[in-house]
Amino acid sequence: MTLQVEVSCRERIEAAIRAVEEAQRRFNAVTSLRAERALDEATFLDKRDRGRPRGALHGVPVVVKDLFDVADLPTTGGCAAYAGLRAETSSDVVEALRAAGAVVIAKANQHEMGAGATGLVSSFGPVVNPVDPDRIPGGSSSGSAAVIAAGAVPVAIGSDTGGSIRIPASFCGITGLRPTPGRISLAGTQPMSPGYDTAGPMALTARECATVLGALTRVGRPRPADGSAYGVAGIRIGMPEPYFGLLHPDVRRAVEAAGAVFEAMGAVVEWAPGPDVDDDYAGFRHVWADVAHHHRELWDNDKVSPEVARLIAHGRAMSGLDYAASCAAAERVRNQFARALDSFDVLLTPTTPYPAPRVDETAVVVIGGELDVHRGAPSRLTLPVNEARLPAVTFPVGTSEDGLPLGAQVIGPPFSDERLLAVVAAFQEAA
């Protein structure tokens, strides 16, 4: 006979606060901790919900990226220029979490302004990868991934404009969803490029991400009646050949092995001729003009890092014709994905082209060449999904010879978020 003891919300939040404080000391994962407010909210939940139906996230401790407004806390985006500017109200994401019973206990460190994929550039200092402190955590939702990988909290919220949920999730060995744009309200969120920005859950498993998605979609665009009970048997999975070109051999091996697992589960897995990889990032270039527009107060501000200042300057210099050309390039990417998804239910690709690089590395040798670390290559395989305005779920598919996490992503048509999560959940239960 097993004795089950129910833990109160307050006890659970107290334990999470201690764990987040430890994650902060070791990994520099958070920018602010709201311990007293979180404990007050947990105590309120314990008193309010006796004998009443509980929300889907009742008493769950959550950390949100430092670009979501939380009342009475600064929203910095990891930028010194925004330090001390406290939010008067909370973002829709935070309000939706609270409505489901979750308790936000901290804000996560991130790559400054969301404008980078390493997690090393922040006014609060770089985030450390919990898997290997000598490796980059990925960005820009670096702190959100770190608190999950460190086991501090079960759920964190990140944002994804060019891969900012999926890259750190891949490098830190967790699961993350970039939802269909519009599924989750971005009101009260520091913007980069509204056409590409999304907010999404990060957790150890797809089932946890699905629970959070259900809570977050209560705010913003209504969820379409697309159903959520999907199996893997019989689905058509395409593996686009262009995404398996410039790859670390361990990544290729792991993702091909994941395809074999899906095949053993009854899926039809085939190589697909496209879509192509946007190697020159043509469909993403106009994002820097959007950043420059939305953050005009940062022009020539000496509190912005040199790395982000260069990107803002690039956006300021972009002409209208160049902006239109970038949007046209993104449209071509969308059309290629649409054609591929006419033949397949989902696409399976690597998430990042290599395992997490060392902090001091500038390039990684892969099959067929060499890829950079700081100038775009981490987002090489995620960014086209944003250009195509599609949902995608990244999930762990093993480790490299050095013991580093390796990630794959499944990509689907608009509003297939629940199906993608169900496919990954089935894989995680089978594997």
Side-chain angles (χ1 to χ4, degrees):
M1 178 178 178
T2 301
L3 179 64
Q4 294 183 345
V5 179
E6 183 173 345
V7 177
S8 70
C9 291
R10 185 179 177 90
E11 290 171 319
R12 190 174 189 184
I13 298 306
E14 285 174 342
I17 289 170
R18 291 193 295 270
V20 168
E21 288 174 334
E22 178 64 17
Q24 172 58 14
R25 283 191 292 270
R26 297 179 60 194
F27 310 119
N28 196 33
V30 302
T31 61
S32 57
L33 183 67
R34 57 189 303 270
E36 290 187 14
R37 291 289 184 93
L39 290 172
D40 288 344
E41 291 174 13
T43 300
F44 175 76
L45 286 173
D46 284 330
K47 292 178 179 178
R48 185 195 69 178
D49 292 336
R50 290 173 182 166
R52 295 178 54 182
R54 296 177 174 181
L57 300 176
H58 178 81
V60 173
V62 179
V63 171
V64 301
K65 189 175 181 178
D66 195 5
L67 48 65
F68 298 101
D69 285 348
V70 178
D72 298 323
L73 290 181
T75 302
T76 73
C79 180
Y82 288 137
L85 298 179
R86 294 180 179 272
E88 295 182 0
T89 59
S90 293
S91 64
D92 280 358
V93 163
V94 169
E95 290 298 336
L97 290 168
R98 288 176 177 163
V103 178
V104 174
I105 63 174
K107 300 189 77 174
N109 199 357
Q110 62 170 87
H111 199 109
E112 184 177 359
M113 303 295 295
T118 64
L120 301 180
V121 179
S122 169
S123 61
F124 295 90
V127 178
V128 175
N129 190 328
V131 178
D132 183 343
D134 293 327
R135 304 278 174 164
I136 69 171
S140 62
S141 304
S142 45
S144 299
V147 292
I148 300 297
V153 292
V155 173
I157 306 299
S159 69
D160 194 312
T161 301
S164 289
I165 285 174
R166 289 162 290 151
I167 295 165
S170 177
F171 285 161
C172 293
I174 66 169
T175 303
L177 165 69
R178 171 209 150 75
T180 301
R183 288 296 305 275
I184 296 172
S185 172
L186 294 176
T189 305
Q190 190 181 83
M192 272 192 72
S193 179
Y196 286 0
D197 292 348
T198 56
M202 305 170 75
L204 289 180
T205 70
R207 288 203 178 277
E208 291 167 306
C209 287
T211 300
V212 180
L213 175 65
L216 294 181
T217 51
R218 293 177 60 184
V219 174
R221 184 170 183 165
R223 190 173 89 176
D226 58 355
S228 58
Y230 298 102
V232 172
I235 69 166
R236 299 163 300 161
I237 299 178
M239 296 173 62
E241 292 176 349
Y243 285 72
F244 289 80
L246 289 171
L247 274 188
H248 190 283
D250 290 351
V251 175
R252 180 169 185 130
R253 169 187 52 78
V255 179
E256 288 182 347
V261 171
F262 279 122
E263 203 163 30
M265 295 168 64
V268 177
V269 182
E270 297 176 351
W271 290 101
D276 294 330
V277 178
D278 184 9
D279 273 316
D280 60 0
Y281 312 111
F284 195 77
R285 292 175 185 168
H286 69 280
V287 166
W288 306 122
D290 293 342
V291 172
H293 169 73
H294 288 291
H295 299 279
R296 295 183 293 279
E297 66 275 16
L298 300 187
W299 293 6
D300 305 317
N301 189 310
D302 61 6
K303 292 184 178 181
V304 179
S305 71
E307 295 87 347
V308 175
R310 281 195 294 269
L311 295 172
I312 291 175
H314 175 72
R316 290 174 62 183
M318 180 172 283
S319 70
L321 288 176
D322 287 341
Y323 190 98
S326 177
C327 292
E331 182 65 24
R332 289 193 292 273
V333 172
R334 279 194 288 277
N335 290 338
Q336 289 182 359
F337 270 95
R339 286 195 293 272
L341 289 167
D342 279 342
S343 301
F344 297 97
D345 298 306
V346 301
L347 304 177
L348 173 67
T349 80
T351 304
T352 54
Y354 40 62
R358 291 189 302 273
V359 171
D360 59 357
E361 281 186 293
T362 58
V364 177
V365 175
V366 298
I367 298 172
E370 188 176 85
L371 292 171
D372 70 83
V373 173
H374 299 279
R375 295 186 178 275
S379 61
R380 179 175 180 267
L381 306 178
T382 58
L383 186 148
V385 178
N386 299 68
E387 293 172 336
R389 297 178 60 80
L390 298 177
V393 178
T394 184
F395 58 104
V397 289
T399 57
S400 70
E401 290 186 356
D402 295 330
L404 300 172
L406 303 172
Q409 60 179 342
V410 288
I411 307 159
F415 303 108
S416 64
D417 311 44
E418 282 83 5
R419 181 171 202 175
L420 297 177
L421 288 166
V423 166
V424 174
F427 174 90
Q428 290 176 330
E429 290 169 6

